[in-house]
Amino acid sequence: MVQPANRELERLVIRDTLTPLYNRRHFVNALEERLSRLERHDAPCVLVFVDVNAMKQINDSFGHTAGDAALVHIARLIGASIRSNDVAARVGGDEFALLLDGLDEEGAALKTKQLEKLISETDCYCGDNRLPLSASFGWTSLRRGDTDFAALARADMAMYESKRRFSTEFE
């Protein structure tokens, strides 16, 4: 039986300090495990990067407490929208990453569109202020022979392409 103090220590090591999601360290370990599983069993998995749009403007307009509320809100939406065998983590200030087991390219496109819609259409408030939330998504299927760095770089590049489209729409 795991002692309560050990359980809390384990939580602190693998969880993000702000959101209910995993942290970057745990995510990279899970990614390495998925890559190993792909090599052994050809088990498909999609890596998704999520970047909150206009986070600086939210912080500047409503304060950092509002920015934190936005991150927690988005983390909860993401966590509630994935399956128990998937992994969601906050990997940077306003960046999240997901590992979605068993999805192909079509499934990844559908899932990211669902999450994008959910984030933009679900109200988030900090005090009386409704926060204007949206996110940009990029994803890639894990490939045989991938390193964690290569897969992360592809997903990151795809997310930045999505971010460029978002920025262009609102100029």
Side-chain angles (χ1 to χ4, degrees):
M1 178 175 201
V2 177
Q3 298 298 319
N6 290 342
R7 196 172 308 125
E8 177 63 11
L9 183 59
E10 180 180 299
R11 186 190 67 76
L12 290 171
V13 168
I14 65 172
R15 294 288 176 174
D16 178 60
T17 57
L18 178 64
T19 71
L21 300 181
Y22 290 112
N23 62 25
R24 184 181 189 92
R25 175 185 298 128
H26 181 81
F27 184 81
V28 170
N29 288 340
L31 173 58
E32 289 170 350
E33 187 273 326
R34 295 314 192 279
L35 288 168
S36 177
R37 188 184 318 162
L38 175 66
E39 292 295 329
R40 287 189 324 269
H41 305 291
D42 207 26
C45 184
V46 171
L47 167 60
V48 179
F49 256 34
V50 184
D51 187 85
V52 180
N53 294 324
M55 193 64 177
K56 181 178 179 349
Q57 289 85 345
I58 291 171
N59 283 330
D60 290 350
S61 299
F62 304 105
H64 288 276
T65 300
D68 287 351
L71 294 172
V72 170
H73 176 80
I74 290 171
R76 287 188 175 138
L77 292 175
I78 289 171
S81 300
I82 62 172
R83 301 161 298 179
S84 61
N85 59 316
D86 295 330
V87 177
R90 180 171 169 228
V91 294
D94 63 350
E95 294 180 333
F96 300 90
L98 313 170
L99 291 170
L100 306 174
D101 288 325
L103 290 187
D104 59 10
E105 306 275 320
E106 186 177 318
L110 179 63
K111 185 64 176 176
T112 56
K113 285 290 181 200
Q114 290 171 342
L115 285 169
E116 185 177 20
K117 183 177 181 185
L118 181 66
I119 289 168
S120 66
E121 293 181 357
T122 303
D123 289 340
C124 176
Y125 286 90
C126 184
D128 293 334
N129 298 309
R130 182 183 181 279
L131 305 178
L133 297 182
S134 67
S136 297
F137 291 77
W139 53 268
T140 186
S141 293
L142 299 184
R143 302 173 187 163
R144 290 179 89 85
D146 261 346
T147 63
D148 56 349
F149 181 80
L152 288 165
R154 278 198 317 276
D156 194 42
M157 285 180 17
M159 185 273 301
Y160 276 106
E161 180 58 34
S162 174
K163 184 70 102 174
R164 276 192 287 281
R165 285 193 304 272
F166 171 80
S167 297
T168 303
E169 289 176 23
F170 291 96
E171 286 181 348

